Amino acid sequence: MSSDGSLPNGGFMKRFIFLTEHLKKPDLVRCLRVCWSWHDIFLPLVWKDVSVDKSSRAEPSQDALTPKVLRSHRHLIKDLYINDWPGNYPFAFPRMQTLNFRLFNGTTPSPAKYPAPFIRRNQSLVKLHLWNLNNDIDYRVWKVLLKLPHLRELSLGRSIIQEDDIVRFWTICENLESLLLEHVSFPQGTTPDASMCFQNVRELQLYGVDGMEQEEQFRFISACPNLEDLTWYYILTVDLENGHEGDGAMGGPYFEEFAKEVARKRWPRLTNLRMDGQWTEEDTCLIIEGMQRVKKIDLDEMFSPLTFQALQRHFHNLVELQVETSGEATSKLLQNILCSCPALKMLEGGGVLAKDVIEGKPWVCLSLESLTICFMFSDREQHLQPLIFERLAKLKRLEYLYSGTARASFQKKYPVPLQFRLESGLDALSGLWRMNRFTTRGRSQSLGEDELRWMLVHWKELVSVSAEVDIDDDTKIELENLLKSRGIGLRR
């Protein structure tokens, strides 16, 4: 750096910009105030993504993101989250690519505050996320979306689509690359026209979609031949008007037909799959064997030694795997996964015996960022706790750790979970500097005062701790206030 605070050109500048992309917003603001040269560099990074809500308008403070403040920096904003009626911001954001806003049930605002005029002003939009798009929002939204030239991703949650808008909705979907529907209600019997083909859709989520029966959802999925990522949770349906989530069953002829179509290579690009329901072991294996590559898959209820065998040929490419609720996810199978999947970044597993880990091969999944697991010890295996911490310490990229207790059926033989205490070896995890969320379960995994203070010192990125605490009330209040001052939530 030169004496006036400016930065040199060349390779150093490129590395400097790379590092700034990993800073949190408060750190970026601090850098902004170093000097004018840094101000010019960091100002676009500070304003790149912004989140505002109605409290900024109702109770403005010195740092509040009021409409006036937003207007003056709108040319820098690329990603905007609004928890307010968008009509309160009657101006355009010329570089905005992502818009995410949550609308409110209850009082109907004036037409000027509907989202349609706001969206119309922002023709650069690529990604649009809408929540609570209910009866307060009429056909004008869909007419505006039809004319957005760059829209490639649409996400709807807790929304009702009226019958008069169905044709517009499907027409919009033809140009999308990503469609995410969560608890969305359609008119009964909704299905796209048979002549429609959604060639551009790469990512599709149907999660609790009401009004489309399983057959109709299957037909829609079949009309997306270039799918790469599919989430299909038919079992979760929701009655938006009464606030009730119903039950369903995923199994049946259309799930069997889906498995056969995967085997027939209807979706040759499909690599990510999350589904729920009554899978048979044969159908699950048929799907896994039919996919050319598996990168992300949810096998919670369908994991077994047979499906494990089918999955083995995909271990080299596997990035995310969920087998947490499966009773068939045995200790040795989980240990085998940890020793065989070098690209794995997320694993939601069940119980694994501490002795299987210690006696087994070294883990190769050193890129793990999220781990849900239960290490189980017998009464005579307490001495193995430090060795498990040493194994975890090798996961240098770990950001989220959930360590639970054994299932009821294992409690008698393996009553001891991994205990996150300094005397058990917790200090070995001091090098996991990326850790931001940490969760344990029950009194047997409680934390003491020393452990909480240790986390504050060594886990600088921490934002959430969910655990029982074994400290007196006065100290507990002091620590809660200290954690809160650091922006860390403590849940018990």
Side-chain angles (χ1 to χ4, degrees):
M1 184 182 300
S2 62
S3 59
D4 63 353
S6 62
L7 294 168
N9 295 320
F12 177 82
M13 187 63 180
K14 292 180 180 179
R15 291 192 293 272
F16 180 82
I17 295 297
F18 173 78
L19 291 173
T20 63
E21 293 175 353
H22 298 275
L23 295 177
K24 291 185 177 181
K25 188 64 68 75
D27 297 321
L28 291 172
V29 173
R30 293 187 189 99
C31 292
L32 191 72
R33 296 167 177 165
V34 170
C35 63
W36 284 114
S37 296
W38 281 43
H39 180 277
D40 293 340
I41 292 172
F42 284 96
L43 188 65
L45 298 175
V46 170
W47 284 95
K48 179 182 177 181
D49 57 275
V50 173
S51 178
V52 297
D53 58 40
K54 61 179 180 180
S55 63
S56 298
R57 184 169 45 83
E59 300 176 5
S61 63
Q62 183 178 357
D63 299 319
L65 293 173
T66 61
K68 182 178 179 180
V69 173
L70 282 179
R71 181 188 287 271
S72 62
H73 294 90
R74 56 186 174 145
H75 62 289
L76 299 172
I77 297 174
K78 292 184 178 181
D79 302 330
L80 178 63
Y81 175 87
I82 299 182
N83 190 18
D84 191 7
W85 288 105
N88 291 318
Y89 307 88
F91 43 84
F93 297 80
R95 299 181 64 197
M96 183 167 63
Q97 296 182 353
T98 302
L99 174 61
N100 184 329
F101 58 71
R102 181 180 296 259
L103 307 180
F104 303 100
N105 293 313
T107 304
T108 302
S110 64
K113 293 188 178 181
Y114 280 142
F118 182 86
I119 296 171
R120 186 185 297 113
R121 284 191 293 270
N122 294 283
Q123 294 289 301
S124 60
L125 275 176
V126 177
K127 300 179 181 181
L128 179 61
H129 304 262
L130 309 173
W131 195 268
N132 286 344
L133 193 68
N134 51 34
N135 290 325
D136 291 337
I137 311 302
D138 61 12
Y139 69 95
R140 287 173 292 186
V141 170
W142 308 109
K143 292 185 72 174
V144 169
L145 295 187
L146 278 170
K147 297 181 180 180
L148 284 182
H150 307 294
L151 187 65
R152 295 295 177 265
E153 179 177 311
L154 178 62
S155 175
L156 302 177
R158 295 277 176 181
S159 305
I160 298 174
I161 299 178
Q162 302 299 325
E163 187 167 0
D164 292 343
D165 299 321
I166 288 299
V167 174
R168 296 188 186 97
F169 172 77
W170 290 124
T171 303
I172 291 166
C173 292
E174 283 189 299
N175 295 318
L176 297 177
E177 295 177 2
S178 177
L179 176 63
L180 311 175
L181 304 179
E182 181 173 347
H183 297 319
V184 174
S185 181
F186 289 89
Q188 200 64 35
T190 295
T191 187
D193 188 274
S195 63
M196 285 185 163
C197 185
F198 304 91
Q199 295 274 0
N200 296 319
V201 175
R202 301 293 189 270
E203 180 183 15
L204 178 62
Q205 173 181 296
L206 302 177
Y207 190 99
V209 175
D210 195 25
M212 294 178 67
E213 297 300 327
Q214 189 184 64
E215 175 184 2
E216 292 152 353
Q217 293 187 25
F218 174 70
R219 288 178 182 172
F220 178 34
I221 295 170
S222 299
C224 304
N226 293 313
L227 270 182
E228 299 174 6
D229 190 308
L230 173 63
T231 300
W232 189 15
Y233 284 81
Y234 177 77
I235 194 170
L236 296 175
T237 58
V238 62
D239 182 347
L240 290 176
E241 294 181 357
N242 299 314
H244 171 69
E245 291 191 10
D247 296 320
M250 186 64 201
Y254 293 101
F255 181 76
E256 295 173 10
E257 189 62 29
F258 174 81
K260 292 177 182 177
E261 289 300 311
V262 173
R264 294 177 187 134
K265 305 295 189 286
R266 176 181 282 271
W267 303 279
R269 300 184 180 186
L270 187 64
T271 59
N272 305 336
L273 181 62
R274 291 166 291 275
M275 297 176 66
D276 197 6
Q278 312 302 318
W279 298 35
T280 66
E281 195 172 51
E282 292 76 13
D283 286 339
T284 306
C285 290
L286 192 62
I287 289 172
I288 295 173
E289 292 167 354
M291 296 173 68
Q292 294 185 20
R293 284 197 309 163
V294 176
K295 295 175 67 176
K296 302 178 183 180
I297 193 164
D298 180 353
L299 293 173
D300 263 358
E301 298 178 16
M302 290 70 66
F303 190 69
S304 69
L306 197 59
T307 55
F308 171 85
Q309 186 176 351
L311 193 62
Q312 278 185 303
R313 75 178 182 89
H314 299 290
F315 275 177
H316 187 73
N317 296 312
L318 203 60
V319 175
E320 293 185 7
L321 176 63
Q322 294 169 267
V323 294
E324 182 181 7
T325 62
S326 173
E328 298 285 346
T330 65
S331 174
K332 289 189 179 297
L333 292 185
L334 284 175
Q335 168 64 12
N336 199 325
I337 289 168
L338 291 164
C339 297
S340 308
C341 303
L344 200 63
K345 291 187 177 181
M346 188 274 278
L347 174 64
E348 291 187 5
V352 59
L353 300 180
K355 64 178 182 179
D356 285 345
V357 174
I358 302 306
E359 295 172 0
K361 296 179 181 179
W363 293 350
V364 300
C365 53
L366 302 182
S367 297
L368 266 177
E369 298 173 359
S370 175
L371 177 61
T372 298
I373 199 166
C374 167
F375 296 101
M376 300 183 294
F377 303 78
S378 70
D379 286 325
R380 298 181 179 182
E381 294 176 339
Q382 294 274 20
H383 64 286
L384 297 180
Q385 298 241 354
L387 299 178
I388 296 297
F389 279 113
E390 289 178 9
R391 188 65 64 96
L392 286 172
K394 298 180 183 299
L395 307 179
K396 299 296 185 181
R397 300 185 181 182
L398 201 61
E399 299 177 7
Y400 172 67
L401 176 61
Y402 181 116
S403 179
T405 55
R407 294 171 180 265
S409 56
F410 289 92
Q411 283 282 353
K412 186 174 182 179
K413 192 172 182 180
Y414 301 101
V416 182
L418 185 61
Q419 296 171 334
F420 288 84
R421 294 287 184 148
L422 290 171
E423 61 265 26
S424 297
L426 174 62
D427 193 53
L429 305 187
S430 60
L432 304 187
W433 60 271
R434 299 190 184 198
M435 185 75 70
N436 57 59
R437 291 182 297 145
F438 172 74
T439 300
T440 62
R441 181 180 177 185
R443 297 293 303 177
S444 60
Q445 289 186 299
S446 63
L447 304 176
E449 177 183 356
D450 291 342
E451 285 70 35
L452 284 172
R453 293 189 184 278
W454 177 92
M455 291 177 183
L456 283 171
V457 171
H458 295 284
W459 293 348
K460 301 293 188 181
E461 303 294 316
L462 200 61
V463 297
S464 174
V465 176
S466 297
E468 295 286 341
V469 291
D470 185 18
I471 50 181
D472 63 79
D473 291 341
D474 290 340
T475 305
K476 186 184 300 182
I477 293 172
E478 176 192 347
L479 281 173
E480 285 179 343
N481 290 333
L482 179 59
L483 290 167
K484 187 176 180 180
S485 69
R486 304 276 186 92
I488 301 172
L490 177 60
R491 302 175 179 85
R492 298 186 295 276

